[in-house]
Amino acid sequence: MKKIGLIIGAIVVLVSCKKEYDTPPLTPIPETPAITIDSLRDWQNSIGGLISIDQELSVHGIITMDETDGNIYKNVYLQDATGAINVRILSGGGLYQGDSVRVYLKGTVLNKYNGILQLDSVDVDNNVVKLDSDVDFAPLVTTIDQITPAIESQLVKLENVQFVAYEIGNTYADKDGLQSVNILLEDCSGNTIIVRTSGYASFADELIASGNGSLTAIASHFNGTELQLYIRAFDEINMTGARCPGIVFTKTFDDDLLLSGGWQEIKVTGTTAWETSSAGGAATPYAAISNWNGSVNVLTENWLISPSIDLTPYGAPTLSFDNAKNYSGPGFRSFDLDKLC
Amino acid sequence: MIRYLSATCLFLCLNGTLTAQITTETEPKEKEDSLSPNEAVFITSLDELDNNGGDQNTSGLLQSSRDVFASAAGFNFSAARFRIRGYNSDQTAILINGVPMNDPESGWGEWFMWGGLNDVTRYSETKNWLTSNQYHFGGIGGYSNINMRATNIRAGHRLSYAMTNRAYRHRLMYTYGTGMQSNGWAFAISVSARYAQEGYIDGTFYEAFSYYLAAEKKINDNQSLSFSVIGAPTRQGRQNISIQEAYDLSGDIYYNSNWGYQTLADGTRIKRNSRVQTTHMPIAILTHDWKISSNAKLTTSGYVTFGKSGQTALNWNDDKDPRPDYYKYLPSYYENIGDSVNADVMYSNWQSEASRQVDWDQLYFANSKNIHTVKDVNGVAGNDLEGLRAKYIVENLWNNQISGGFGSTYNRKMNKLNLSMGVYAQMQQNHYFKTVEDLLGADYWLDVDQFAEQAFVDPNAAQNDLQTPNRVVYKGDIFGYNYNIVNIKSELFAQAEYSTEKFDFYGALELSNKMFWREGLYQTGRFPDNSLGKSETHNFFNYAVKGGAVYKLSGRQFITVNAAYLTQAPSSRNAYLSPRTRDFVAGNLKNETIYTGDVNYIVRYPKLRMRLTYYYTERKDAILLRSFYHDDYNALVNYMMEGVDYLDHGIEFGIDANVIGGFSVNAVAAYGQHLYNSRPTATISVDNSAEVLATDRVIYLTNYKIGGMPQSAYSLGVKYTGKKYWFAGANFNYYADIYLDPNPDRRTEEALEGYVDTDPQVNEVLDQTKLDNGYSVSMFAGKSFKISNYFLNVNVNISNLTNNQSFVTGGFEQLRYDTQNIGKFPPKLGYMYGLNYFVMATLRF
């Protein structure tokens, strides 16, 4: 029986001997000369269009926003001392906020999309070398009025900002319909900027912050006109302080509806009507009126009137609006509000 | 014989129309799947057959030496995955020394536990139909009792070597038995090894050992005690079936996406399989045989079995799907969206062997640069870890068992009456968990759920184990999920058999109780209140009755009838909606009901043996759980159907006639209808989300065919037995009415949303795929020699002699589908092996 035991033992040992696989020899991503992000921007600006990079070049930078919270998909933001760029990756994932990376540019594509410089067709496995991780990267502390297309794709932090009062109670985006939503952020000086959030973001169905505080985000824009912010993480919305009055009431005509929100139109003289329009390449619709009927100017008095607004809680309310005129004749004239009431 | 055949024709008029009443509506839906590795829903690859009895030298389920139908069907039909009466192995009781051994968790007979021990299992007592049974109530598919006592091994040595080109290439076996010695002891041993560096399918390998040790002590003239241990440690590289496009592109109908090349340090490339199955579940059994009197005996056994069963797979996080036949790597995906550039790229990828297989070097490369910092490792604030985070790993999915059982059977003979009684108990714990098998060069794997991370604000939601958040795991560590399923089953059985000159009768009753529960070892972030600890216990009481009669027309001709009615507890494997993450069960967990019966005409002359049978079986209120990987969720989606009814009925006919001299002919026909027979309701859930995708969805499944097996099969053969201890024979086998198992979700109101009845797409969505009928030719021969005191046997058998490589034996419809374009996600198909052989030489001394 001893022998049998030995045989069994030997068999069990044999079977338990599993082969360990060795790590195969790997070819590293080539070392190359470096190029800065502003040089990439200049390069694209000078040639225009799509540039398929076949040079031995690399760009270094820190990943400032990743896909973890779902607000962006298959792209990340990369920033160095000279600027920032949107990096579009072939398959989602693999790059995280705080990664210090070298992107090997050969095989990638430099492009501008909706006015934003982007590095396209980046294969995270084959184009990216991670040099370090969890690197602290301080955002640019700035104010809403300082945000311009010049700091495109950079990480910014805004202090003492709040979402406009009439959006409170809404969510950051439409999670059920998976639609992106624009929400207006304001400071206490009447400046505003759009915060755009994807319906796929993990926080899309959260109620927007109702207080005043700080927000860290990526600055962006749409073709140089509409400025936008992208929230990179839900826990970077720190807006729990007391609100300043901010915008009490607004009408943007973005919905392309003249009278939505309780507005009314009163024609005193003539039949000329107010209408919404996007003529002139406006990013969003506006309201317009013209008394030119095609051959003559028709005498017109037509009021576009807001619903009544209770301003009692506010100390010194102000009214502001954008306006423009075309053709000859007197321009904008201000009326004394009190006298109108 | 002609008369018998014409009788068959009467039954051939079984009607069945494929009807599925469906009203219209639905938006196009896309689903992505690949079958989950641990769901034994159907045989997904051909090599499982070889493992489970496709090899005719193994004691397979289909075998029975005495019955003319079952033995021929087992020998000839296994290549096409034929199942007798359409039953799975859960309807056949597997007994060792009379104790039931079916896995109480799944109900299945686990033949792999004693694979390779053919010298021990060869003479198991097997009956493949409803019958009386002196050991146990048995299943409606009969029973198989393996005698593991040392005295079952005949005294002497037996050494055999087999060469084959199937799952393995070589098999060596040695068996020795002492027989009952004068000192009252008998010992027996059997060991075997099976090996293939590469099996029939590319990238597969086979390393298996088996052992059997038995001792038996005769205590006195009436009592003996036997102790046996068996086990079969096995490692196997597995095969995967693909869609036809992958076969066409690779030019290989046996294309196996599981393997790929890996470069070694010296530059050579080796084939590595990503799906390796490792099993070793030894059984130890102690049996006490007590002959109480000349006509009464009591047999009592207890057993324990414990061991491991694991299956490796690739896992990945934040990177591309590494499986080479993933649908986005196929040209058709891009052709469908009009992207000819990428279609060409994919086409050229498939032209080279290395790039249409797993690219192991690339997986290592991706891991080699992924420096990452995990914050607050194991939930300890400030405990940050920087290192190479694995994007790709090989994980091992385990189902480890500890099981114990007991059985005691009393048999008493009285004049014309035989009484049998038994009591049995089984307890089993299945431990399900995953471990890291290979980090592929990385430093660690972070155990969080990627999908939940992106979908929920709450950082806890992504934690697979809330007790240790942000858990970093290394080689060998448990991760992902971790839970036990415990089953306890107890049975009481009684049977009476009564014989008269013209009639035999039997009747049997079984009362049983089964309970099961889940015990979660992880607290899952998505289900913190329903994952950790012991769940509710689900308890089921069942009863079963059966009876039968034999009318003896003469001593050579018999008419028999059998009938059974039973209720059957749902198996815990099907009952849990998503056991990996929570303890939710089917909404209406209840017993199944089975009723079945058969009528047989049996002829047994020395030169003519025949059986003709009609059988009818209905099984009601079953649960069917199918799981598949959905890439949108990066998780398994579970499709649970309740109220699934099955109908199996048909004819079995077998005849073996000696024509002249040593020349005989045999014929076997199995004409059957195996159908779904109800409209089940489905609940669709995702492992890592509380969101239920659908509840109470009605599946219009009535009269769809059960897929994955030929509904009917036929065989015609000749055999010659020579006077000088040799024999040879050949069979022509024909397999008919083979369907792919239907994707239930395509047979719903929701799938047809937006269509009107006359739209051609309606039929495309609803119609079940029927495969072409197929054939095979098999051949066998053997000769025995006696050289002094040595006996040498040489046996050869060849399957698919004509090397027919166009026969699709089965497959499955993908659960992913697009109602607008059903051809977009074609079914996965498996082909019958080409010519394959098994040559064995056995020496007895």
Side-chain angles (χ1 to χ4, degrees), chain A residues 265-274 289 300-304:
Chain A
E265 185 184 16
I266 306 235
K267 294 173 186 145
V268 179
T269 311
T271 55
T272 309
W274 284 88
I289 189 165
T300 299
E301 183 182 350
N302 184 349
W303 295 75
L304 185 59

Side-chain angles (χ1 to χ4, degrees), chain B residues 20-73:
Chain B
Q21 301 85 344
I22 297 208
T23 37
T24 52
E25 295 172 87
T26 248
E27 58 186 353
K29 214 163 283 160
E30 289 195 348
K31 291 254 165 83
E32 150 69 2
D33 74 313
S34 62
L35 274 179
S36 120
N38 53 352
E39 294 301 323
V41 178
F42 6 58
I43 294 170
T44 54
S45 59
L46 297 168
D47 58 357
E48 279 173 50
L49 268 172
D50 256 349
N51 206 20
N52 294 345
D55 169 357
Q56 38 272 59
N57 288 64
T58 323
S59 67
L61 275 180
L62 299 178
Q63 277 191 295
S64 170
S65 44
R66 295 211 179 137
D67 180 60
V68 54
F69 171 83
S71 58

